[in-house]
Structure formats: structure tokens, C-alpha cells
Amino acid sequence: MKSKNIFFILCFYFCILSIKAQRTIDSVSLGMPVKYNLYQTFNECKVKTAANKEVAFINYIRTDRKFKNKPTLVFTWFTFDRRGKKILDSLATSTVFKKYNIVAINCNSKRNYEKDSDFILKTSNENPLYDKNLISLFDFQSELTFEDRQAAPMLFWLDKDLKIVGSTVTSGITINQIESLLSLVELKKIIPSQTKFYTNQMVPCLENNASFKQVITESNGVTNLKVYLTNTNQIDYECNFTKSKQGNYYFKDNMYIKKKPFVSYKSPDLEINRNVGLRDRETNLYDIKSDFTLIYFCDISNSESSDSLGRLRRLYNDCNNVEKYIESKIMNLEIVVVFTGVDANYEKNNFFESNTENRRKANKLTFEFYKIFDKDKKVQSKFENSDFGSFKLLDKNKNVVYESADDTLFAFFIEGIVKNK
């Protein structure tokens, strides 16, 4: 695959490209959907309840919510997205719904509802806690996809007046993060604004915890969205939009800014090892026989390392369709974890000495991966941008075809590249 195709990877399996009357393209070549961030409020539309009753979306939430003076979380989900559904299941059994309003909106394609007249009732019967503990609604007319690439889950934090305070598309958020944000909204520490702040996982946050700053401005009928890197104040990407009389946004142009065009290059040779997993792989990087190889730099002393390795594990399983006897399968993706930082010194038979929880998790999550304990920085010195969270994606010829210094959204890109080879 040529590197120039990398930036057109499908995000979460679906991409909608629709041409409007103004002949504007309603999608953009970024690794994540962005347009939903523009909306300050939801447009009123028709949805259905778990009992298959048609209602007006905003009016129904306003009247049916349990806590009239508290924030509301709106959570969109697809029945086929097991990661998003796992979060929703946790919300339905947590204590969050006892303190705040939670709205679960099934956003399956309109075809599901048209093809199966009992889709809503069957889905509700399979998930009884959604309607019991949450407000369970169904977007049967596909009104809430924002006419951009569909992604799941989308989360929106609303204040007591149902104005959108913050939003994200992520499958890596925790229940604690969701509740913490609801608390910040309730305390008015985060309020509706055209300037918003996000963590490196694109989860809304306070300014002092932010990796990204999003700024929205409007002028002469054009809405401009910029996302800045807070540590350098450089623009990460920028897009312009037009707005219809109905309040819907459409892409006007894509001014995606990349500081330096990426050019594929040959990876330096590396000596690697693994004492478990596939037995037919060599210790030299150039002899790995997978279609793609991901080299990932990880410092397990970093508090985010466990989440990052967990995402690697899911990515590995999804890309390789892991079964019990994976040894007999042709690999689409191999993963090489380069352990950095002070904990890289605690090497013993290709494992960390399991005297901390971080090391125990690292041993478990990297089972079947190649591992390099780079205590002398011999590997890190061969690459630029090899800090914690950075990665290099290599093709079967061991050319680096994509790289990033941030692991926030790497699974979106890489899973698409590997699966759509």
C-alpha cells in the first residue's frame, strides 16, 4: 500500500460521502470525524422509544429525564460495536444513572429499521437495563449521524439546559471519566463555549489537562474549526463549513495542515526476541513474515501505558482474527513493543520482574508480541519521535509507511490499513 493512501482510511468501518445541493463534499480526509464538534445544541428530530413509540428527541429528553437540574450524557451506539456496547452496559449497571441523566441512542443504519420491523423491540428485549435505568431511544431515520462518517460511540455532555458542553468519539473512555465530566459540567467548571479543551484521547477536559484546544469561529456564513496542539500552539488541522437554514453543517473545504509531508523510508534493522507465541518468526526484523509490523514505544511507568497496551491487544486480535490455534494462521499484523524508561532495566527471561501491577499487566498484555527491552536506547536512537506512545507502521517490505508521535487514534488508522489491504 502506498503511503499517500494512508490518510483516507475508514474510521470505525464506515464512511459516508454525500453530495449536497451546494455540491459540497460532506466528509473529510482526517483520521477521525470532526463535524459533530460544531454543534452547540441538538436539532429537534423524530426518534422512537424502546416501546416503538415515535417522539420528538429534545422535547422527550426535557420532559422525561429524571434530574431536571442536572447534566445529561447522550451516548450513541451501534449494535455491532462491541466496545461501545461494553461501555454502555457498564453505564447501565453503574451508579452514574442514579445521579445524572443518561440517554442511549441506537444509531444503526436506517436500513436496519426498514428491513426489520421488530428491530427496536428485539434490541430492547436483548438490553432490558437500557430502558430501565437509562433513557433508551432509537434513531430510526438516521438523523443523529451528523452526515459525516459514522462512528461509535459518540458521547455528548449536556448542561441542564441541554446545551452541548463537550463531546468525543472514543471507545477507550472509562466510567470514571464520564462521571467526572458530568460533575465538572454540574459545577460549571466546563460550560458551553466555542473554545474547548481535550486530552490526548480527545476527551473533553479542563484547560490545564489539555493536549488539544479546539476553536470555532463564524464569519460571512462560514464556520471555521481549528484544533491546536497546546504544547506548541501549532494547528493540527483546520476545516471550513457552511450551515444550512435547517442548522446542519456541511464541509466547505478541507485545509488539513500537516507540518511536514510524510515520506516512506526503510526501517533500520533491529534484533528482537520473543519466548512465547508464534514459533516460525525470526529474531531479525527483516525476517518477520507478516503483512504489517507495528513498532510501538512504551514506558510502563507512564499511567496511560496499560490503556495503550490494551488497545494494542485488541488491535492485534482484530487484525489477525485471533483463534485458539493462531500458530496455523497467516499473520496480517505483528507487534513489536519497545520498552523504554527506567523500567526497561527490569528484564528477566523476556519478562518484567512482576513486583508491580504495571509490570504484571505489561507481561500479560504483550503475550505473543515481540519485545525489546531498550534500556541502552539502542533502538530509540535509530528513530526520530520515539517517545512513549509513538509508533511506526511497516509494510511487508519493512518500509515505514506511517508513523505518529501520539497513540491517541492509531488504531483507527492501522486497523483500516491492515484490514483493507
Side-chain angles (χ1 to χ4, degrees):
M1 174 176 288
K2 295 181 179 180
S3 60
K4 67 180 182 180
N5 293 325
I6 298 301
F7 299 103
F8 295 88
I9 300 308
L10 299 178
C11 175
F12 271 74
Y13 316 115
F14 288 89
C15 180
I16 301 175
L17 296 175
S18 58
I19 307 298
K20 297 297 174 182
Q22 312 95 303
R23 300 189 63 79
T24 54
I25 298 177
D26 200 41
S27 190
V28 66
S29 58
L30 293 174
M32 58 179 291
V34 296
K35 196 172 67 171
Y36 71 95
N37 285 313
L38 297 172
Y39 291 82
Q40 305 297 307
T41 59
F42 284 101
N43 295 333
E44 186 61 280
C45 62
K46 296 293 184 181
V47 295
K48 287 189 176 182
T49 67
N52 209 16
K53 178 183 177 182
E54 189 173 306
V55 296
F57 173 50
I58 296 299
N59 185 62
Y60 186 78
I61 296 176
R62 182 174 287 110
T63 57
D64 204 64
R65 57 183 169 167
K66 183 177 180 181
F67 306 105
K68 299 294 191 291
N69 292 312
K70 291 219 174 187
T72 296
L73 175 75
V74 174
F75 187 106
T76 70
W77 67 288
F78 297 124
T79 54
F80 55 79
D81 175 39
R82 65 183 184 277
R83 296 172 193 168
K85 190 175 183 303
K86 183 178 179 180
I87 300 172
L88 191 54
D89 289 341
S90 297
L91 279 171
T93 56
S94 70
T95 59
V96 182
F97 70 86
K98 296 180 181 180
K99 295 182 281 186
Y100 300 104
N101 308 296
I102 300 177
V103 181
I105 306 177
N106 182 282
C107 287
N108 268 50
S109 170
K110 191 176 180 180
R111 293 192 303 272
N112 286 94
Y113 298 94
E114 294 171 341
K115 184 178 179 180
D116 187 353
S117 59
D118 292 328
F119 175 79
I120 292 176
L121 295 178
K122 286 193 296 186
T123 304
S124 298
N125 289 336
E126 290 170 0
N127 305 278
L129 290 181
Y130 295 0
D131 191 43
K132 179 181 178 182
N133 296 336
L134 318 176
I135 299 176
S136 181
L137 299 173
F138 293 81
D139 183 22
F140 71 104
Q141 292 184 328
S142 295
E143 298 276 1
L144 296 169
T145 56
F146 301 97
E147 300 181 35
D148 188 11
R149 282 165 289 177
Q150 294 184 8
M154 287 198 288
L155 294 83
F156 300 85
W157 287 263
L158 281 59
D159 65 11
K160 64 182 181 64
D161 298 317
L162 301 183
K163 293 181 180 179
I164 298 174
V165 175
S167 51
T168 190
V169 173
T170 179
S171 61
I173 197 166
T174 67
I175 302 303
N176 286 340
Q177 285 177 302
I178 290 173
E179 184 173 8
S180 175
L181 265 167
L182 286 167
S183 176
L184 290 174
V185 174
E186 183 179 13
L187 295 172
K188 296 185 178 180
K189 292 186 177 181
I190 299 181
I191 61 175
S193 173
Q194 291 190 313
T195 298
K196 299 180 181 180
F197 298 93
Y198 295 89
T199 68
N200 64 352
Q201 293 179 311
M202 294 307 291
V203 175
C205 67
L206 296 172
E207 181 175 1
N208 60 345
N209 296 322
S211 296
F212 299 97
K213 178 176 72 172
Q214 174 189 286
V215 179
I216 297 172
T217 56
E218 297 181 14
S219 178
N220 299 322
V222 175
T223 301
N224 176 267
L225 181 148
K226 291 187 182 76
V227 172
Y228 295 85
L229 299 169
T230 54
N231 60 340
T232 63
N233 206 36
Q234 289 181 312
I235 298 175
D236 196 34
Y237 60 78
E238 178 179 4
C239 298
N240 283 333
F241 304 81
T242 58
K243 189 177 183 180
S244 71
K245 292 181 179 179
Q246 292 74 33
N248 296 316
Y249 288 97
Y250 302 105
F251 284 105
K252 182 176 185 296
D253 57 54
N254 171 17
M255 299 186 296
Y256 175 60
I257 294 177
K258 191 163 180 62
K259 267 71 73 180
K260 185 166 59 172
F262 176 77
V263 178
S264 179
Y265 62 92
K266 192 75 174 179
S267 169
D269 204 0
L270 301 176
E271 292 296 324
I272 56 181
N273 55 67
R274 175 168 62 190
N275 68 322
V276 294
L278 305 182
R279 301 297 182 182
D280 62 338
R281 301 297 188 258
E282 302 298 330
T283 59
N284 187 293
L285 179 63
Y286 285 87
D287 293 325
I288 294 179
K289 299 176 178 65
S290 55
D291 291 326
F292 293 93
T293 302
L294 177 70
I295 301 176
Y296 188 79
F297 296 88
C298 178
D299 181 352
I300 63 168
S301 65
N302 189 296
S303 60
E304 297 176 3
S305 65
S306 180
D307 288 342
S308 299
L309 290 175
R311 289 198 295 274
L312 274 182
R313 168 55 55 188
R314 292 190 295 269
L315 177 68
Y316 178 85
N317 291 346
D318 288 347
C319 288
N320 296 321
N321 191 24
V322 169
E323 297 176 354
K324 183 176 181 180
Y325 299 104
I326 191 170
E327 289 86 351
S328 65
K329 299 182 68 65
I330 297 174
M331 302 296 292
N332 291 319
L333 176 70
E334 285 280 24
I335 294 177
V336 178
V337 178
V338 178
F339 287 107
T340 67
V342 294
D343 276 330
N345 291 311
Y346 294 93
E347 175 191 357
K348 185 177 182 181
N349 297 324
N350 297 324
F351 281 85
F352 287 104
E353 295 177 359
S354 299
N355 53 0
T356 71
E357 184 63 22
N358 280 351
R359 293 174 192 156
R360 283 191 288 272
K361 286 184 178 179
N363 287 336
K364 179 180 179 181
L365 291 170
T366 57
F367 176 77
E368 295 180 325
F369 295 173
Y370 291 103
K371 285 171 269 192
I372 298 175
F373 295 84
D374 200 27
K375 54 190 174 185
D376 298 323
K377 297 187 177 181
K378 292 181 179 179
V379 175
Q380 297 168 72
S381 64
K382 294 183 179 182
F383 290 98
E384 293 183 10
N385 300 322
S386 58
D387 294 332
F388 165 70
S390 65
F391 60 88
K392 320 289 176 182
L393 183 67
L394 283 59
D395 65 13
K396 62 183 178 182
N397 296 317
K398 302 304 169 273
N399 296 310
V400 180
V401 296
Y402 182 67
E403 62 183 7
S404 175
D406 183 3
D407 75 336
T408 306
L409 300 169
F410 76 87
F412 292 172
F413 289 103
I414 294 173
E415 189 168 356
I417 296 169
V418 173
K419 287 190 170 183
N420 291 282
K421 174 179 174 291

